[in-house]
Amino acid sequence: MSQLPNQPAQRPVPTSADVARLAGVSRATVSYVLNNSPTVRISESTRRRVREAATELGYVPHAAARSLRAGHTRMVLLPTVAFPTGPLHHRFFHELESGLRRLDYTVVQYGSTGLDPDDAPRVWAELRPVAVIAPGTIPLTPQGTGLLRRSGAKAVITLGPRPVPGAHALVMDQREVGSCAVGLLLERGRRRIGVVMPEESGLALFAEPRLTGARQAAQPHGARIEPLPLRYEEESAARLADRWRTLDLDAVFAYNDEYAMLLMRALQDAGIDVPRETAVVGADDLMLGRLLRPRLSTVRMELATAQPLADLVDRLVRHPGCAPEHHDLLRVGAVGRESA
Amino acid sequence: MSQLPNQPAQRPVPTSADVARLAGVSRATVSYVLNNSPTVRISESTRRRVREAATELGYVPHAAARSLRAGHTRMVLLPTVAFPTGPLHHRFFHELESGLRRLDYTVVQYGSTGLDPDDAPRVWAELRPVAVIAPGTIPLTPQGTGLLRRSGAKAVITLGPRPVPGAHALVMDQREVGSCAVGLLLERGRRRIGVVMPEESGLALFAEPRLTGARQAAQPHGARIEPLPLRYEEESAARLADRWRTLDLDAVFAYNDEYAMLLMRALQDAGIDVPRETAVVGADDLMLGRLLRPRLSTVRMELATAQPLADLVDRLVRHPGCAPEHHDLLRVGAVGRESA
DNA sequence: TTGAAAGCGCTACCAC
DNA sequence: GTGGTAGCGCTTTCAA
């Protein structure tokens, strides 16, 4: 039953020289034929012989050798880090990837979690990418950027909550989420606003700017902002709910819909009326929030479509040395439902 | 403020020859020093000069040139496809990635959505990976496997719901989810069981085997299984709930917790008592299911820890040509709560 | 302890 | 039309 590998596993990988030999032509001719080189005319019969030889040997060109010879690659490097990333990011990355592929770039995600930020750029540079889109979680220093550029990267782009000075930046400004949520609560007349801060590590990167945004929105109205540490566990929520009345709050922005559902349930179990006594706002506009009673108010988030960004990368590659550009990717909007 | 790129952008990328020149040594010596070659003794003063020259020039070795010379790479290729993947997969991939990195492999995710399954292996083979872990969504033919092996891949591994004959396989058998859920319902005395089939494209890959598993579990008990198409939208759920009583079911396995929450809310709104009239089971054991009333029964899913799998890949690379191995990655367990 | 040189697989220039 | 060949950046054997 098991298709045991009959092939002598150590047969060497066929090269263009092997194809040339089998087809009875030179390596140059093989290269011309297989690349459909327009600068040279090859007879149809030769073409066929070459192609047949290639198929017969299972010849596959060696990308590294090719780009070594060419002196450049079309690789766009996307360093990735372990990340509590939702469907939003997922879709965005996928779109960006296909957009770039359409422009004939080879997109490669390179797991970079735990890489020392100081030598991450070095490691990336070894691959000689033509562009790098680095996540904000790996702080990119001017030295790092310089190193990448010197090793051939035409475009070095950061992707994160804040732009990085001196580099192109795709910005997902999380502060807007916080200010949008608080804006909704202020409209509803709330002035004593808790802001849930998840204790799960990794979320701080989102939570901190959301808190900042909340503060910025509250300030002009003289509203009070109270950070509320919370773990994503029922006991943690219950404990917070237990001491709720001592906090003297009339509203809470719960970081996102999931934390909001958790906290809302705990508040209700503790006899706190939502929204009468405390209004609750989440973020992400999950379908599930609509199913709760009261229906959960939320902040809807949308990322820019990725095709224009693929075009942007292409432009930066073709015209390196432009002044750093910042692009805001995040669009937010409050969705007021029954909970606030 | 903006650190305008003062560097003459077109300064050529420094090579080991440049380092050698600056340090006043040969390229060989540069290579010895920078690779800490143990087979050769270099004076401390030379070492320092070389290192200083390298730093000064911002020299970064060229990975492609290196592997071209070496005749092999340590790249593990993970073709990825657009996919409604949850935190479970996410964590798994990340663990696998760091596990392999620990073994000194370079893990590279390569977006392969929309690639013609016939030439996907060709494209992958151009990168000369030493191992490929291909998702089940891209059917890997024996020819494809052969092509990859012939171009130097020591290990070709599939990762998906079903093993692929003739290749190593990491299996996440979704049928077990279905049988586990139905097992729970059977235990509770239910015999007329609906199985939600999400209409969202892409989910079929999971939903179909779950249905199969449900059928396999129901068969010996003479229980009836009824597939129920459902979109992840309130109206779709409401419509299903409206005609619920005509379906004559006493239980439903709702594909996962999210669909379960959606459907349960619709059933309740339609006046159907859960669990008395209809029991509901989800899957994924989301925290949110515990917050519902009644609390949602579910199927807990766990993926195997990835480090042993990284070790497996390493073993397959070192001993190519072993008989195909199948490893079951998915562990499931029913979690009975109030809804069933 | 260091250097010279070959050669990995490929493409592109220049002869024939 | 087709072939010879140089050279991309690197490592490694062999000689000095």
Side-chain angles (χ1 to χ4, degrees):
Chain A
M1 90 167 258
S2 68
Q3 297 268 93
L4 259 189
N6 285 331
Q7 51 233 355
Q10 284 320 42
R11 179 150 46 117
V13 182
T15 73
S16 76
D18 297 317
V19 178
R21 200 154 25 237
L22 182 58
V25 298
S26 77
R27 282 153 69 220
T29 308
V30 172
S31 175
Y32 293 142
V33 171
L34 296 184
N35 295 313
N36 288 314
S37 175
T39 64
V40 78
R41 297 270 157 268
I42 307 271
S43 73
E44 200 44 56
S45 71
T46 307
R47 302 186 100 87
R48 226 192 32 249
R49 281 214 319 287
V50 168
R51 282 196 234 279
E52 278 168 5
T55 320
E56 176 169 345
L57 293 176
Y59 168 72
V60 176
H62 192 309
R66 175 179 291 173
S67 64
L68 182 60
R69 167 67 221 219
H72 61 259
T73 71
R74 300 218 14 116
M75 180 195 303
V76 176
L77 191 67
L78 281 167
T80 56
V81 291
F83 219 51
T85 166
L88 206 64
H89 284 73
H90 217 263
R91 212 174 60 95
F92 175 77
F93 273 114
H94 170 240
E95 277 184 23
L96 184 60
E97 194 263 316
S98 19
L100 285 169
R101 194 146 37 125
R102 210 165 298 141
L103 296 169
D104 198 35
Y105 290 96
T106 296
V107 180
V108 151
Q109 280 178 256
Y110 185 92
S112 304
T113 315
L115 235 60
D116 182 336
D118 284 335
D119 43 42
R122 238 191 87 88
V123 178
W124 301 337
E126 292 193 359
L127 301 173
R128 296 291 191 272
V130 71
V132 179
I133 305 182
T137 29
I138 302 185
L140 205 49
T141 62
Q143 293 90 313
T145 312
L147 187 72
L148 284 167
R149 300 202 70 107
R150 271 199 308 279
S151 54
K154 302 291 185 201
V156 179
I157 304 169
T158 63
L159 174 65
R162 312 286 309 137
V164 171
H168 305 288
L170 306 180
V171 183
M172 300 178 177
D173 192 344
Q174 299 289 324
R175 290 178 307 184
E176 295 181 19
V177 181
S179 31
C180 183
V182 166
L184 178 68
L185 293 170
L186 291 169
E187 258 178 41
R188 299 285 204 261
R190 312 287 169 150
R191 288 297 180 275
R192 310 187 308 278
I193 302 172
V195 173
V196 167
M197 302 296 285
E199 291 185 329
E200 281 68 27
S201 74
L203 262 47
L205 201 83
F206 294 94
E208 286 293 346
R210 289 186 189 188
L211 176 61
T212 306
R215 288 206 161 106
Q216 288 169 346
Q219 168 104 54
H221 296 78
R224 174 161 68 92
I225 294 290
E226 185 76 33
L228 303 171
L230 176 64
R231 259 175 304 115
Y232 192 59
E233 291 166 9
E234 285 181 281
E235 316 89 80
S236 182
R239 236 173 299 130
L240 179 55
D242 276 345
R243 62 190 186 90
W244 193 256
R245 293 214 161 98
T246 73
L247 292 166
D248 187 34
L249 299 172
D250 60 9
V252 58
F253 165 49
Y255 176 69
N256 72 10
D257 285 354
E258 298 189 85
Y259 283 84
M261 295 189 215
L262 175 64
L263 181 57
M264 195 159 90
R265 161 61 63 195
L267 290 175
Q268 288 173 328
D269 286 351
I272 315 250
D273 186 274
V274 177
R276 191 128 43 93
E277 192 170 348
T278 300
V280 177
V281 176
D284 283 345
D285 194 17
L286 296 187
M287 147 87 68
L288 298 179
R290 263 169 279 180
L291 306 176
L292 302 188
R293 300 298 179 262
R295 297 171 199 272
L296 184 64
S297 298
T298 190
V299 175
R300 190 191 313 117
M301 302 168 62
E302 275 170 24
L303 286 177
T305 46
Q307 184 64 56
L309 295 173
D311 296 335
L312 169 69
V313 172
D314 185 45
R315 211 185 67 226
L316 294 177
V317 165
R318 294 220 272 229
H319 310 288
C322 304
E325 295 182 19
H326 295 179
H327 294 262
D328 203 345
L329 263 49
L330 195 60
R331 293 280 169 278
V332 302
V335 181
R337 298 205 188 96
E338 300 158 3
S339 77
Chain B
M1 86 172 260
S2 69
Q3 297 268 92
L4 260 190
N6 285 330
Q7 51 233 357
Q10 283 321 40
R11 179 149 46 118
V13 181
T15 74
S16 77
D18 298 317
V19 177
R21 200 154 27 239
L22 181 58
V25 299
S26 77
R27 283 155 69 220
T29 308
V30 172
S31 175
Y32 291 143
V33 171
L34 296 184
N35 295 312
N36 288 313
S37 175
T39 66
V40 79
R41 298 268 158 270
I42 306 271
S43 72
E44 201 43 57
S45 71
T46 308
R47 303 186 99 87
R48 227 192 29 252
R49 280 213 321 286
V50 170
R51 282 195 234 279
E52 279 166 4
T55 319
E56 176 169 343
L57 293 176
Y59 169 71
V60 176
H62 191 308
R66 176 178 290 174
S67 62
L68 183 59
R69 165 70 220 217
H72 61 258
T73 70
R74 295 208 33 103
M75 180 195 302
V76 176
L77 191 67
L78 281 167
T80 56
V81 290
F83 217 52
T85 167
L88 206 65
H89 285 74
H90 215 263
R91 212 174 61 95
F92 175 77
F93 273 114
H94 170 240
E95 277 184 23
L96 184 60
E97 194 263 316
S98 18
L100 285 168
R101 194 146 36 127
R102 210 165 298 141
L103 295 170
D104 199 36
Y105 290 96
T106 296
V107 180
V108 152
Q109 279 177 256
Y110 185 91
S112 304
T113 315
L115 234 60
D116 182 336
D118 283 335
D119 43 40
R122 240 190 85 90
V123 177
W124 301 337
E126 292 193 359
L127 301 174
R128 296 291 191 272
V130 71
V132 179
I133 305 182
T137 29
I138 302 186
L140 205 50
T141 62
Q143 293 90 312
T145 311
L147 188 72
L148 284 167
R149 301 202 69 107
R150 271 199 308 280
S151 56
K154 302 292 186 200
V156 179
I157 304 169
T158 63
L159 174 65
R162 311 287 309 140
V164 171
H168 304 287
L170 305 180
V171 184
M172 300 178 178
D173 192 345
Q174 299 289 325
R175 290 177 308 183
E176 296 183 19
V177 182
S179 31
C180 184
V182 167
L184 177 69
L185 293 170
L186 291 169
E187 257 179 42
R188 300 286 205 260
R190 313 286 170 151
R191 289 295 180 276
R192 309 188 308 278
I193 302 172
V195 173
V196 166
M197 301 295 286
E199 292 185 329
E200 280 68 27
S201 75
L203 260 47
L205 201 83
F206 294 94
E208 286 293 347
R210 287 185 190 189
L211 176 62
T212 307
R215 289 205 161 108
Q216 288 170 345
Q219 168 105 55
H221 295 78
R224 174 161 68 92
I225 294 292
E226 185 77 34
L228 304 170
L230 176 65
R231 258 175 304 113
Y232 192 59
E233 291 166 9
E234 284 181 281
E235 316 90 82
S236 181
R239 235 172 300 129
L240 179 55
D242 275 347
R243 61 190 187 92
W244 194 254
R245 293 214 161 98
T246 73
L247 292 166
D248 186 35
L249 299 172
D250 60 9
V252 59
F253 164 49
Y255 176 69
N256 73 8
D257 285 354
E258 298 188 85
Y259 283 84
M261 295 189 214
L262 175 64
L263 180 57
M264 194 158 89
R265 159 61 63 196
L267 290 175
Q268 288 174 327
D269 286 351
I272 315 249
D273 186 272
V274 177
R276 193 129 41 96
E277 192 171 347
T278 299
V280 177
V281 177
D284 285 344
D285 193 17
L286 296 187
M287 149 85 71
L288 299 179
R290 262 169 279 180
L291 306 175
L292 302 188
R293 300 299 180 261
R295 298 173 197 271
L296 184 63
S297 298
T298 189
V299 176
R300 189 192 311 118
M301 303 168 62
E302 275 170 25
L303 287 178
T305 46
Q307 183 65 55
L309 295 173
D311 296 336
L312 169 69
V313 173
D314 186 46
R315 210 186 68 227
L316 294 177
V317 166
R318 294 220 272 230
H319 310 289
C322 304
E325 295 183 19
H326 296 177
H327 294 262
D328 204 346
L329 264 47
L330 195 60
R331 292 281 169 277
V332 302
V335 181
R337 298 207 188 94
E338 301 159 2
S339 76

